[in-house]
Amino acid sequence: MKIHLTSVFVDDQETALRFYTDVLGFVTKHDVPMGAERWLTVVSPEDPDGTELLLEPSGHPAVAPYRAALVRDGIPAASFAVDDVPAEYRRLRGLGVRFTQEPLTAGPVTTAVLDDTCGNLIQLMHSA
């Protein structure tokens, strides 16, 4: 068994697509119209057949309080692996990304947490 698909709730799919592709560097895997919304997934360009991230519309009434609680408590909605957290932090800061946690090393793990502009906190991590 392996993870095929996971999701983050987003306020606006087009804004999310731009952020996740143009800023974070993912590539679009599926973009299928489904009425007012889309089945919209992105993947790592390093693993185009790997785990897909669904940019899920946030219209369900449970989403707003759930995400607000996560953000209020500083809990990331997802975690993405990178090769070098401090380097990725500098690159993304240069692109105007706001971080809620600067790079922090705890034992063998280095993390940083960013605001994805779509209602979520996202953790970047590297494990030595």
Side-chain angles (χ1 to χ4, degrees), residues 45-66:
E46 298 169 17
D47 191 9
D49 294 320
T51 305
E52 297 177 46
L53 178 66
L54 175 64
L55 304 177
E56 179 92 33
S58 63
H60 189 281
V63 172
Y66 166 75

Side-chain angles (χ1 to χ4, degrees), residues 2-84:
K2 64 181 182 176
I3 298 170
H4 170 71
L5 177 82
T6 191
S7 63
V8 291
F9 292 107
V10 299
D11 297 325
D12 179 279
Q13 286 184 301
E14 192 57 38
T15 299
L17 181 62
R18 284 193 305 273
F19 182 82
Y20 280 81
T21 57
D22 296 346
V23 177
L24 295 185
F26 291 102
V27 294
T28 303
K29 176 81 174 198
H30 297 287
D31 188 351
V32 180
M34 299 185 74
E37 280 121 10
R38 298 141 64 184
W39 180 262
L40 182 58
T41 67
V42 296
V43 294
S44 168
E46 298 169 17
D47 191 9
D49 294 320
T51 305
E52 297 177 46
L53 178 66
L54 175 64
L55 304 177
E56 179 92 33
S58 63
H60 189 281
V63 172
Y66 166 75
R67 286 194 313 167
L70 290 180
V71 170
R72 181 180 58 248
D73 292 343
I75 299 171
S79 182
F80 301 148
V82 297
D83 291 332
D84 183 335

